[in-house]
Amino acid sequence: MVFDKKTIVEKYEDQFKVKEMQNKHLFHDLYTRVGDPEELRGFIVELLQDLDWKTSINELMKFEDTDTEGIFRGGRLKPIKSIIKAYKQIKKGPKYPLFWKLFFFIGLGFLVFYLYTLSFPTNWNSNLIIQITPIWFILALLVYSVKETVSLALWVKLAGIYDIKNEESDVRIVIAADADKKDKEAFDKLEEDISELYNVLNRKYVASQKKVTKTQIVKVLKPKSKQPEVALVRKVRDFDKQLEQLNKRFINKEIDENTYRELKQDIERRKAKAETILDLLSI
């Protein structure tokens, strides 16, 4: 069904699922405690810019009290989530190495032949040969100037819990990166940049701060007996049912296209928030 196709936003969300990120060429996981999570997000974006990465996605997901009702203690804790996607292109050697060499040697052959006609008169038109010769060298130069490019992509996901009272956040930083081609030079550059990103974050936010573990990030959740995970799974399934019913209503022409799109986006946003909180519980 055409309406079951994922939107661009949904595809972006899929890219930032931890299981998906773990399948990339590089994957790193950090846990830290920071004051303002926005400062952390801004620092990462600036650091990537210093490394010549261009940011294509830089989003913060905000949660209302109704999104977290009955999940976290006391109402003073809120989940946080930010996603950052960046890209870079590196240029390698000529994209068509055989063709530029072929054109060059053809031009060289014409040049040698032209010099031969000057030394030893032949029936060939020397003027025509010297006019043709530069064309092959120009073609060789043009083809040589077309460089092979490899695209690099990087995903950063920040997920954690913000303590409103103490103004502290326990955050998980997930970093993944990959190249569109299996190329040693591209992977070397990728590893160099990601290593720099990881080391700077580790020095600034992990090594210099109080050590935070996975269990500490979720220690503030309600007791296991409350089973918040079960409630969230039911919530996600309910959103799926709502989307299915909405599709049926649209197909049956019970609602117009604008209403359908607005309702669909609202349900998808709420579903994404529930999935984010569920992801935190399963860290």
Side-chain angles (χ1 to χ4, degrees):
M1 189 188 302
V2 66
F3 303 111
D4 289 334
K5 290 184 178 179
K6 292 186 176 180
T7 63
I8 295 176
V9 175
E10 287 178 309
K11 291 177 181 177
Y12 282 147
E13 286 292 333
D14 286 347
Q15 292 178 26
F16 287 94
K17 289 180 178 177
V18 176
K19 288 184 178 179
E20 182 68 23
M21 295 174 74
Q22 287 175 330
N23 292 327
K24 304 302 180 184
H25 179 69
L26 295 176
F27 178 83
H28 290 294
D29 226 343
L30 288 169
Y31 296 85
T32 185
R33 179 167 295 167
V34 298
D36 183 3
E38 277 295 274
E39 187 271 337
L40 171 61
R41 180 166 68 115
F43 179 80
I44 292 175
V45 171
E46 289 182 6
L47 182 55
L48 289 174
Q49 289 174 347
D50 291 340
L51 293 171
D52 296 326
W53 287 79
K54 295 181 179 178
T55 304
S56 58
I57 303 174
N58 180 16
E59 296 180 4
L60 168 69
M61 179 179 286
K62 295 184 178 180
F63 294 83
E64 305 298 333
D65 290 338
T66 53
D67 298 323
T68 59
E69 187 176 0
I71 298 173
F72 298 101
R73 290 198 193 106
R76 64 180 180 84
L77 302 168
K78 287 187 177 294
I80 53 176
K81 177 188 175 183
S82 296
I83 55 174
I84 302 167
K85 184 175 181 181
Y87 66 94
K88 175 191 278 193
Q89 285 190 331
I90 61 171
K91 291 186 177 180
K92 302 183 58 184
K95 189 173 183 178
Y96 308 104
L98 293 179
F99 283 102
W100 82 261
K101 291 177 182 178
L102 176 64
F103 294 152
F104 176 80
F105 284 113
I106 290 176
L108 188 63
F110 272 100
L111 180 60
V112 171
F113 187 68
Y114 170 73
L115 295 175
Y116 174 79
T117 60
L118 294 180
S119 303
F120 303 94
T122 65
N123 294 327
W124 289 89
N125 188 332
S126 298
N127 290 331
L128 178 62
I129 296 173
I130 197 60
Q131 290 174 359
I132 294 175
T133 301
I135 295 176
W136 293 102
F137 287 118
I138 292 171
L139 283 174
L141 183 61
L142 290 173
V143 175
Y144 179 82
S145 65
V146 179
K147 303 296 183 181
E148 182 181 4
T149 59
V150 180
S151 297
L152 311 180
L154 179 145
W155 297 261
V156 180
K157 178 178 180 180
L158 309 177
I161 300 167
Y162 180 62
D163 187 332
I164 299 173
K165 181 180 179 181
N166 297 320
E167 296 184 346
E168 286 183 339
S169 304
D170 287 345
V171 183
R172 179 188 193 185
I173 308 172
V174 186
I175 304 169
D178 212 339
D180 65 344
K181 298 177 183 177
K182 291 184 177 180
D183 180 87
K184 185 180 184 305
E185 185 179 338
F187 283 154
D188 287 345
K189 181 59 180 173
L190 196 64
E191 290 167 7
E192 178 185 334
D193 283 1
I194 304 311
S195 177
E196 176 69 12
L197 174 65
Y198 177 86
N199 289 333
V200 171
L201 290 175
N202 189 56
R203 286 196 303 268
K204 183 175 175 63
Y205 290 103
V206 181
S208 62
Q209 304 288 336
K210 182 179 177 181
K211 188 176 181 181
V212 177
T213 63
K214 294 181 181 182
T215 52
Q216 283 177 300
I217 289 185
V218 294
K219 67 181 173 60
V220 291
L221 300 178
K222 282 183 172 288
K224 287 290 183 180
S225 58
K226 299 281 185 172
Q227 294 185 323
E229 297 95 331
V230 175
L232 283 167
V233 169
R234 288 174 179 170
K235 217 175 213 182
V236 171
R237 289 177 179 171
D238 183 55
F239 288 137
D240 286 333
K241 290 180 181 178
Q242 290 181 39
L243 287 171
E244 186 177 346
Q245 291 171 356
L246 184 65
N247 285 336
K248 289 180 180 178
R249 290 180 63 193
F250 182 70
I251 293 171
N252 293 332
K253 298 182 179 180
E254 296 176 16
I255 54 176
D256 59 37
E257 184 174 351
N258 289 333
T259 303
Y260 166 76
R261 292 185 182 279
E262 289 177 4
L263 292 174
K264 187 172 186 288
Q265 288 175 358
D266 180 63
I267 295 171
E268 287 170 348
R269 278 196 297 266
R270 292 159 61 196
K271 178 185 174 185
K273 290 178 178 180
E275 289 177 331
T276 296
I277 300 172
L278 188 62
D279 186 44
L280 288 174
L281 294 172
S282 61
I283 287 176

